[in-house]
Amino acid sequence: MDVKETAFKDRHSLISRAYFFAESSHKGQKRRSGEPYFNHGLKTGQYLADWKLDEATIAAGLLHDVVEDTGRTLDDLEKNFGPEIKNLVDGVTKLGYVKYRGDETQKDNIRKLILAISKDIRVIFIKLADRLHNMQTLKSLPPDKQKRISLETYEIYSSLAYRLGMQHLAGELEDLAFPYLYPEEYKWLISNMKTRYEEREKYLKRIKPIVIRELALAGVEPLCVDFRAKRYSSLYKKLLRYEMDIDKIYDLVAFRIIVKNIQDCYATLGVIHKLWPPLPGRIKDYMAMPKPNGYQSLHTVVFCVGQKIVEFQIRTMEMHEEAENGIAAHWAYEDEKDGRKKRISFAKGKDITWVERLRAWQDEKTDSANFIDALKIDFFKDRIFAITPKGRVVDLPAGATPIDFAYQIHTDLGNQCIGAKVNGKIVPLNHELRSSDIVEIVTQKGKKPSASWLESVKTATAIGHIKKFLKYKNPFIEVQQTELRIIAESRFDFAKDLSNVIGRNHLNITNISFSPSGSGFQTIKVRCDSADHRKISRLIVKIKSLKGVKEIDYRFV
Ligand code: MN
């Protein structure tokens, strides 16, 4: 679909209304390159149309910078286009505040924030389309911005696209970022690889008719036989793994054969292997065993004409489209099979797939300790992710306030906090923050924390700093406690023994409760005023040795 053409054809359609609304909103604005600003919105909308997304997404793509860069408000959007489009634009605008500057610890927070914001996956599609066009026009920006945006694209958005199964887009984003991030390496590749690529392509042009002829003899009618050069960015990554030895890279230029169905895929593999012997260990059946991101294909590497090593990739059109466009392609298929134009629902069944994929993406790089954490944070029932005006993502427990936020960034920011703005509006200091809120802390030199803050803050950091300032004894230790859960025989002097042991270990009981748990046993819950791992482990050993103790576990509270 050509978005501009559609916009001019039917003036009452959603796309047309979005087109002209955005165009008039951006009127007179220019991008750094000198072109009218709306070109960017139009390109974004067009990419979304190319990925066969629904009309609301395309419309939101056209409008995506209207709130950020013009006098229009979210209310204006809601009045004109309804809550769905407003929410999509709002999500994209908020993602725009997130800035990745190479701080590894931020990577995880950014990913979680993206997940939290993108309850509607379409927000991510719009952001990716937006980013693709920004990368294509990056040369008109100053060098420091080029670097930052490229790094963010490389580390965050490209891998996001990849996890969504949009391999083509992921590769394109990486290729666009690569020259800015690795200028020297890029130059090296261009000067060393260009002729090799050309030689390769010339060679494969000679092979192509042989492949087509042999397939015809075997009764396979391919939909497409083509070859494509490996992207510079992925070539570079591979070269690093192979000690920069170009001769070890077999898929410099690979053949791609697209056929009608799965049987034809395996038949094609047979034809290729009959023609040329395969390299042992290089046959990969991603059809029987798809990659974690859903990629399906048959890969083989053979000794081709003149003993040259060539890689073949074989798949069906459906697999091909999914490999290129991932989840977007999948939805488009569902829509077409139905034969009628329905609004694709992203809310039912389908989003399980993307949630799973995103989760796989999130989990992949986390080690086992973090893995547990990642699971806990899953779906963010108890975490929120707020953003600083500079785009840093701050991870907080649910119910956290601007004061928690301030202390999380810096002690002084917390101590001198006198007010806060959330999404540009002044809020009271006990205001509950929500995911993707942009929080600005107002400070005053010499201002001191107030005891009343303790009633609303949620984080141990904030409580500790406030208490410290107010000269509490042991401000940080008081914050954390341990709850022990003990199952023991119901003997009358157990409580006394227990409190003696705890006292001898220099811990204080802050709370204790007993409840019978049947057949002569009782459950005792004890809170102690320490969360010191070593102290608690020692205490547990001692409690275990008490008479009649059956079970004991603990948690920090
Ligand atoms: Mn934009």
Side-chain angles (χ1 to χ4, degrees):
M1 183 222 288
D2 185 279
V3 172
K4 193 173 175 179
E5 214 180 277
T6 309
F8 277 86
K9 222 190 286 162
D10 176 6
R11 291 285 180 138
H12 297 290
S13 70
L14 175 61
I15 288 179
S16 181
R17 287 191 297 117
Y19 180 98
F20 290 106
F21 186 95
E23 194 197 32
S24 73
S25 302
H26 287 296
K27 189 138 266 161
Q29 289 182 327
K30 288 213 162 33
R31 299 199 96 210
R32 256 178 188 271
S33 58
E35 59 173 337
Y37 196 98
F38 178 62
N39 280 7
H40 169 64
L42 179 56
K43 273 277 183 195
T44 304
Q46 186 58 52
Y47 284 130
L48 294 162
D50 294 346
W51 301 340
K52 298 188 182 150
L53 288 159
D54 62 317
E55 286 191 0
T57 312
I58 298 168
L62 292 167
L63 293 162
H64 82 273
D65 273 330
V66 153
V67 174
E68 172 78 38
D69 292 326
T70 78
R72 306 287 195 181
T73 63
L74 284 171
D75 286 344
D76 292 338
L77 283 188
E78 183 156 21
K79 254 178 247 146
N80 283 279
F81 301 99
E84 185 186 12
I85 303 249
K86 181 205 95 176
N87 287 334
L88 289 171
V89 173
D90 189 27
V92 180
T93 307
K94 280 172 173 164
L95 278 184
Y97 288 112
V98 179
K99 303 261 180 331
Y100 178 69
R101 295 190 166 85
D103 175 358
E104 283 291 315
T105 58
Q106 275 284 295
K107 231 184 201 173
D108 214 35
N109 280 354
I110 290 177
R111 289 174 172 180
K112 288 172 191 160
L113 172 85
I114 292 173
L115 291 176
I117 289 180
S118 311
K119 285 181 198 97
D120 191 333
I121 184 85
R122 296 176 295 174
V123 169
I124 295 183
F125 289 135
I126 300 167
K127 183 67 197 174
L128 289 172
D130 167 51
R131 181 50 58 102
L132 178 58
H133 186 243
N134 282 338
M135 287 305 295
Q136 285 162 345
T137 51
L138 200 61
K139 57 177 177 308
S140 40
L141 290 189
D144 57 321
K145 273 201 165 175
Q146 289 175 342
K147 264 243 149 65
R148 193 197 68 73
I149 294 170
S150 295
L151 184 67
E152 188 177 88
T153 302
Y154 205 80
E155 298 283 356
I156 307 283
Y157 289 106
S158 162
S159 70
L160 178 52
Y162 181 80
R163 302 301 157 195
L164 288 169
M166 304 168 91
Q167 311 220 60
H168 182 76
L169 176 63
E172 209 170 339
L173 288 173
E174 273 197 3
D175 253 13
L176 287 164
F178 187 70
Y180 294 102
L181 293 175
Y182 304 100
E184 294 304 316
E185 291 83 347
Y186 181 69
K187 263 185 233 153
W188 183 88
L189 281 178
I190 294 288
S191 58
N192 286 277
M193 300 310 293
K194 221 173 172 188
T195 45
R196 276 179 187 258
Y197 271 126
E198 283 161 10
E199 275 168 32
R200 261 330 245 193
E201 286 183 350
K202 226 192 248 163
Y203 168 77
L204 292 183
K205 252 183 215 152
R206 276 172 36 218
I207 306 296
K208 187 174 161 176
I210 306 175
V211 174
I212 293 174
R213 190 186 65 221
E214 292 295 320
L215 283 176
L217 286 175
V220 178
E221 226 182 283
L223 298 171
C224 170
V225 178
D226 215 345
F227 39 85
R228 54 115 234 162
K230 193 168 190 65
R231 294 177 177 281
Y232 278 122
S233 54
S234 64
L235 172 63
Y236 182 69
K237 276 193 216 158
K238 208 160 184 178
L239 278 169
L240 288 178
R241 274 189 281 137
Y242 290 87
E243 290 98 32
M244 303 309 277
D245 185 351
I246 291 167
D247 293 324
K248 285 189 184 146
I249 313 288
Y250 303 139
D251 58 349
L252 204 57
V253 184
F255 255 109
R256 184 182 282 160
I257 303 174
I258 295 166
V259 293
K260 279 180 210 139
N261 52 43
I262 292 173
Q263 290 95 299
D264 279 0
C265 289
Y266 288 103
T268 303
L269 187 71
V271 169
I272 303 292
H273 285 172
K274 219 173 99 190
L275 273 171
W276 301 296
L279 228 73
R282 297 299 297 251
I283 305 165
K284 300 213 174 90
D285 188 345
Y286 295 123
M287 268 156 53
M289 277 174 293
K291 284 193 188 180
N293 72 347
Y295 177 76
Q296 286 185 293
S297 208
L298 296 175
H299 289 191
T300 186
V301 177
V302 301
F303 295 100
C304 203
V305 175
Q307 289 301 298
K308 280 195 198 286
I309 294 170
V310 177
E311 178 171 305
F312 284 84
Q313 302 174 352
I314 306 155
R315 51 190 180 235
T316 66
M317 189 52 95
E318 206 164 12
M319 290 171 187
H320 178 64
E321 293 234 326
E322 179 142 359
E324 300 281 290
N325 291 331
I327 295 166
H330 186 70
W331 278 322
Y333 268 108
E334 294 286 314
D335 204 30
E336 275 167 19
K337 267 181 210 154
D338 248 28
R340 66 199 151 92
K341 255 200 157 215
K342 60 165 190 207
R343 217 175 60 92
I344 307 168
S345 165
F346 292 84
K348 286 177 231 144
K350 292 286 178 305
D351 68 358
I352 292 167
T353 330
W354 78 260
V355 167
E356 275 168 3
R357 284 187 184 181
L358 285 177
R359 184 152 47 171
W361 168 61
Q362 173 162 341
D363 289 348
E364 193 182 64
K365 282 182 194 144
T366 42
D367 56 45
S368 57
N370 287 336
F371 179 62
I372 306 291
D373 265 349
L375 284 183
K376 267 193 231 150
I377 285 158
D378 212 19
F379 305 116
F380 319 107
K381 282 199 190 75
D382 48 10
R383 302 305 293 178
I384 57 152
F385 304 93
I387 313 169
T388 70
K390 281 194 181 143
R392 213 182 97 132
V393 178
V394 180
D395 177 3
L396 294 163
T401 67
I403 299 171
D404 289 303
F405 179 89
Y407 276 111
Q408 211 65 29
I409 295 168
H410 199 279
T411 312
D412 291 341
L413 196 66
N415 284 341
Q416 300 177 3
C417 170
I418 53 159
K421 278 187 191 169
V422 169
N423 304 324
K425 288 190 191 113
I426 293 171
V427 297
L429 284 175
N430 63 0
H431 175 85
E432 267 193 27
L433 297 177
R434 289 167 43 186
S435 257
S436 76
D437 276 347
I438 295 148
V439 185
E440 203 180 322
I441 299 297
V442 185
T443 57
Q444 193 183 74
K445 269 233 164 76
K447 177 78 177 61
K448 292 178 179 74
S450 136
S452 67
W453 290 1
L454 290 170
E455 289 159 25
S456 58
V457 292
K458 292 286 181 304
T459 53
T461 321
I463 297 170
H465 283 300
I466 297 165
K467 285 187 173 176
K468 190 177 164 200
F469 208 95
L470 298 172
K471 304 217 158 41
Y472 274 57
K473 248 196 285 160
N474 301 332
F476 287 94
I477 295 164
E478 279 175 65
V479 171
Q480 289 205 326
Q481 301 196 345
T482 306
E483 185 176 274
L484 300 159
R485 202 176 124 270
I486 306 156
I487 299 178
E489 276 171 22
S490 314
R491 60 186 172 88
F492 74 98
D493 50 356
F494 185 81
K496 201 183 90 202
D497 289 353
L498 183 65
S499 69
N500 281 342
V501 171
I502 293 174
R504 276 202 300 275
N505 280 274
H506 307 288
L507 291 159
N508 295 309
I509 294 174
T510 57
N511 195 12
I512 187 161
S513 70
F514 298 86
S515 52
S517 48
S519 56
F521 283 92
Q522 60 180 339
T523 301
I524 304 114
K525 280 187 186 170
V526 195
R527 282 199 177 197
C528 302
D529 62 348
S530 169
D532 180 327
H533 243 287
R534 243 187 286 159
K535 270 189 176 177
I536 297 296
S537 324
R538 246 181 281 143
L539 175 66
I540 285 174
V541 174
K542 291 277 158 61
I543 294 175
K544 272 184 184 162
S545 67
L546 287 177
K547 190 174 152 257
V549 172
K550 197 173 110 189
E551 250 182 69
I552 178 164
D553 57 36
Y554 71 99
R555 63 189 181 105
F556 297 127
V557 287

